[in-house]
Amino acid sequence: MSQNIKKSIEVNIAGTILQVKNDDNEAEIEKAVTLANNELEKIRQNNPNINRIYLMVMGCMNLADMYLQSENDNQSLKEEIQDLSDNNHSHEIVVEKKDAEIEALKNKIDNLFDTQNKLKKQLNEKNDLLNQYRDHIKQIKEENEANRKNILDLQNKLFESQIELNKTQNS
């Protein structure tokens, strides 16, 4: 079981040497020291005759302001992330609904294709039946034409027979 053993690091802030305890994160400490020294240097350049205590207080105030601004920015980002997450969730719900609608439309299309295929089959059956009726009607017309010719021939023969009979009766 390892314990966090803090070691002491010597830092120089605005010419003051300080001992800072740290848990093996020297890079972070160095960043903080650089930030503090840069901020104090900006204040000193704008106020060259500033008292050392006022310099440190002003530096603390500026760093505290930067920290608070960072916290506000962080909170704003968290809220924006939450809004985006909520918005994303809303979009996911819309996508799920649209997916369900698409699935329903696919099913409807499948049903329409099935109905279309059944209707095509029925149409083909009706067309086959219609063609059979046409063939039958054509055959009946041919038979009727043949019968009409036979009737005409028989009428002609009857007429000729009547003429012959009349001739024989008149003679």
Side-chain angles (χ1 to χ4, degrees), residues 112-123 125:
L112 288 172
F113 276 129
D114 289 345
T115 302
Q116 181 186 23
N117 289 334
K118 287 176 186 176
L119 289 172
K120 280 182 180 178
K121 184 178 178 184
Q122 287 179 356
L123 179 62
E125 290 171 357

Side-chain angles (χ1 to χ4, degrees), residues 9-24:
I9 299 174
E10 188 174 282
V11 296
N12 180 347
I13 299 178
T16 302
I17 305 295
L18 301 168
Q19 294 292 322
V20 177
K21 291 196 176 189
N22 162 315
D23 55 354
D24 286 337

Side-chain angles (χ1 to χ4, degrees), residues 126-141:
K126 301 292 181 190
N127 281 336
D128 289 345
L129 190 59
L130 180 62
N131 287 333
Q132 288 175 5
Y133 285 143
R134 283 182 180 153
D135 290 343
H136 187 66
I137 289 171
K138 183 178 176 184
Q139 184 182 5
I140 289 173
K141 281 183 179 180

